[in-house]
Amino acid sequence: MRLVIARCSVDYAGRLTAHLPSAPRLILVKADGSVSIHADDRAYKPLNWMSPPCTLKEGAGEDEGVWTVVNKAGEKLIITMEEILHDSSHELGVDPGLIKDGVEAHLQELLADRIETLGDGYTLIRREYMTAIGPVDILCRDADGQTVAVEIKRRGEIDGVEQLTRYLDLLNRDPHLAPVRGVFAAQEIKPQARVLATDRGINCHILDYDALRGIEDDKLRLF
């Protein structure tokens, strides 16, 4: 990972245009190729970013101090450096991934044992399918034989959709698995997360913890 703190301005040109005027900012360049620009008052959310796959070109000559990041759609993130205050690179290695709490870990185990919950004809490939950026909760195949990556959360929010999106980008580069589609599974899925998932072609699935455990509810049924 490369960390650059610089006084810079940022312009984004793509489906929309955006401009960040000159100010001191943190620029993160990650091993997966992503570039993100951060302020000191936005928690973890970047001011602007470019997701992989993308390429970063640092200008030379008359363009020295101008970074141009281009993604596969031709969208550009142009960072104009005025003063670099810090520039360092660090090798972080492969992250072991988020250690889930007991409920999420149990949901994963139960869903793997009852993978047909996602639909008739589903078969399990494996749990904790390791990738270069962490483990996919469940990798399986649907009734048509297509590979499906499942991300499991207790409460599904936008961050979980982003995480699954990164896994799908990586898995779809593997010719032995592609095409790979995604399922975002949780006990509760926030409306914003559902909208983002749907926009990215990711299916949402609500998990009933008691049903997965084989516990029937005691409500009266009309069937």
Side-chain angles (χ1 to χ4, degrees), residues 32-91:
D32 64 3
S34 63
V35 178
S36 56
I37 295 96
H38 298 260
D40 204 18
D41 62 349
R42 290 282 299 271
Y44 62 91
K45 293 184 178 180
L47 297 166
N48 215 324
W49 69 93
M50 192 70 82
S51 300
C54 57
T55 58
L56 167 61
K57 181 180 178 181
E58 297 185 40
E62 293 183 357
D63 293 327
E64 185 175 1
V66 178
W67 290 15
T68 304
V69 188
V70 183
N71 67 12
K72 62 182 180 181
E75 297 170 315
K76 294 182 179 181
L77 190 66
I78 301 170
I79 307 168
T80 303
M81 307 289 190
E82 298 172 15
E83 180 184 9
I84 294 180
L85 306 173
H86 174 86
D87 189 347
S88 64
S89 297
H90 308 269
E91 181 59 54

Side-chain angles (χ1 to χ4, degrees), residues 7-10 19-25 80 82:
R7 178 172 292 278
C8 63
S9 60
V10 183
H19 174 71
L20 294 172
S22 176
R25 297 187 176 94
T80 303
E82 298 172 15

Side-chain angles (χ1 to χ4, degrees), residues 4-222:
V4 178
I5 298 175
R7 178 172 292 278
C8 63
S9 60
V10 183
D11 292 278
Y12 180 87
R15 288 169 292 181
L16 50 82
T17 58
H19 174 71
L20 294 172
S22 176
R25 297 187 176 94
L26 168 64
I27 303 165
L28 296 182
V29 183
K30 294 186 178 181
D32 64 3
S34 63
V35 178
S36 56
I37 295 96
H38 298 260
D40 204 18
D41 62 349
R42 290 282 299 271
Y44 62 91
K45 293 184 178 180
L47 297 166
N48 215 324
W49 69 93
M50 192 70 82
S51 300
C54 57
T55 58
L56 167 61
K57 181 180 178 181
E58 297 185 40
E62 293 183 357
D63 293 327
E64 185 175 1
V66 178
W67 290 15
T68 304
V69 188
V70 183
N71 67 12
K72 62 182 180 181
E75 297 170 315
K76 294 182 179 181
L77 190 66
I78 301 170
I79 307 168
T80 303
M81 307 289 190
E82 298 172 15
E83 180 184 9
I84 294 180
L85 306 173
H86 174 86
D87 189 347
S88 64
S89 297
H90 308 269
E91 181 59 54
L92 302 184
V94 177
D95 192 90
L98 180 69
I99 298 175
K100 297 180 179 294
D101 66 22
V103 173
E104 285 190 9
H106 200 203
L107 281 170
Q108 182 193 116
E109 180 182 354
L110 290 170
L111 185 58
D113 287 341
R114 298 166 176 80
I115 199 66
E116 68 280 357
T117 301
L118 297 177
D120 293 337
Y122 273 70
T123 56
L124 178 69
I125 296 177
R126 66 168 298 167
R127 291 172 52 197
E128 298 288 333
Y129 185 88
M130 186 56 66
T131 74
I133 58 174
V136 177
D137 286 338
I138 290 178
L139 199 68
C140 57
R141 295 192 190 281
D142 63 18
D144 297 322
Q146 183 176 359
T147 309
V148 181
V150 185
E151 179 64 28
I152 299 171
K153 299 293 184 186
R154 193 166 46 161
R155 182 167 63 181
E157 301 191 41
I158 284 177
D159 285 354
V161 178
E162 295 284 7
Q163 183 180 359
L164 180 53
T165 299
R166 292 192 293 270
Y167 287 140
L168 291 171
D169 284 344
L170 193 63
L171 292 169
N172 273 300
R173 300 178 199 174
D174 186 338
H176 299 292
L177 297 175
V180 185
R181 64 181 181 87
V183 171
F184 190 50
Q187 289 178 282
E188 173 193 359
I189 298 177
K190 294 294 185 179
Q192 299 93 329
R194 186 179 291 275
V195 169
L196 181 61
T198 300
D199 181 67
R200 296 183 176 180
I202 295 171
N203 293 336
C204 292
H205 187 92
I206 297 296
L207 296 173
D208 185 325
Y209 187 48
D210 287 340
L212 285 171
R213 294 170 62 201
I215 300 175
E216 294 289 341
D217 67 41
D218 57 1
K219 295 178 182 177
L220 293 176
R221 299 176 183 271
L222 298 178

